[in-house]
Amino acid sequence: MPSSVRGNAFLNVMATISVGLAAVMVWRVFFPPTGPREEPPGPVLLENWREIAVGRHQFGPSDAPVTIVEFADFECPACRVFNLEVLGPLRQKYPAEIRWVFRHWPLAYHRFAGPAARAAECAADQERFQPFHDVVYLWQDSLGLIGWSRFASEAGIDDTVSFNRCNAVPGPNSVAEADARVALELNGGGTPLVIINGLQLPGVPTRTD
């Protein structure tokens, strides 16, 4: 894909989301700070972002001009909003232009985040990670109220016996633990931690259209 097309795709995606960065940047250009007031943080460019944009869960064309890496927690309300109202519509609007990499970051104070990550990996064993991911966020309010097998059934997992056997393995999931270590090394302030083409955003993206 020509570099100009890739550049336009990146700008198109960035133009549809906002974390307040554009307004901050424009304000700084025309009205530079004159006092000691602390300025809002901007995005951080990660030189090694391609090493971070890996993992078990990758969706979209491998040569897509825009790569969105998301470290998320299944019990996190902001993650639910980001996935259902921002990322999902973006991927529908730009299916050929976005590669999405999901990585786990189950926060310790979320009781069901770790179990949800483990269950999602069991769903991935049957190639149903994305449907399971979507169902969990849709039914986030039901975490702890209904069993994981119900989520699995809604995600189209036919072999619930294998799913339940996998999900019964005690302790944290190794994939989720490895992902969480990377998120902590990035000094993420919370979930979702979003990186777009190497730019680690300081806040949670929202739709602007």
Side-chain angles (χ1 to χ4, degrees):
M1 183 180 294
S3 59
S4 61
V5 175
R6 289 179 176 273
N8 288 339
F10 176 72
L11 292 175
N12 286 340
V13 171
M14 292 299 286
T16 61
I17 65 176
S18 170
V19 288
L21 299 178
V24 169
M25 292 175 182
V26 170
W27 185 264
R28 285 178 177 174
V29 169
F30 291 102
F31 303 98
T34 58
R37 190 176 73 176
E38 184 177 348
E39 292 295 314
V44 176
L45 179 61
L46 304 175
E47 298 293 342
N48 66 331
W49 71 274
R50 294 185 188 280
E51 299 173 13
I52 297 168
V54 297
R56 189 181 188 188
H57 312 299
Q58 302 184 38
F59 306 92
S62 60
D63 62 345
V66 178
T67 295
I68 298 177
V69 182
E70 174 197 10
F71 288 85
D73 171 315
F74 280 111
E75 195 176 344
C76 159
C79 296
R80 179 183 189 276
V81 172
F82 174 66
N83 277 273
L84 297 183
E85 299 182 12
V86 182
L87 183 60
L90 271 179
R91 293 183 64 222
Q92 289 182 352
K93 187 174 182 179
Y94 303 106
E97 298 173 301
I98 293 178
R99 171 175 164 259
W100 167 47
V101 181
F102 179 95
R103 303 193 69 172
H104 297 281
W105 190 8
L107 303 178
Y109 57 83
H110 281 159
R111 178 183 175 187
F112 302 108
R118 181 176 60 242
E121 289 304 309
C122 293
D125 289 344
Q126 300 192 42
E127 299 184 352
R128 301 300 295 173
F129 174 83
Q130 185 172 344
F132 189 88
H133 162 282
D134 294 347
V135 169
V136 171
Y137 278 128
L138 282 171
W139 290 6
Q140 191 182 70
D141 289 345
S142 296
L143 290 175
L145 300 178
I146 60 176
W148 295 114
S149 58
R150 175 72 185 280
F151 286 96
S153 177
E154 289 296 321
I157 294 175
D158 295 325
D159 189 354
T160 54
V161 173
S162 294
F163 172 85
N164 290 333
R165 184 183 303 119
C166 168
N167 203 33
V169 175
N173 178 268
S174 60
V175 174
E177 283 196 315
D179 285 350
R181 283 195 294 270
V182 175
L184 292 173
E185 289 170 0
L186 293 172
N187 295 314
T191 54
L193 172 58
V194 180
I195 301 166
I196 302 179
N197 278 23
L199 287 175
Q200 181 176 326
L201 304 185
V204 182
T206 56
R207 289 296 293 269
T208 60
D209 59 349

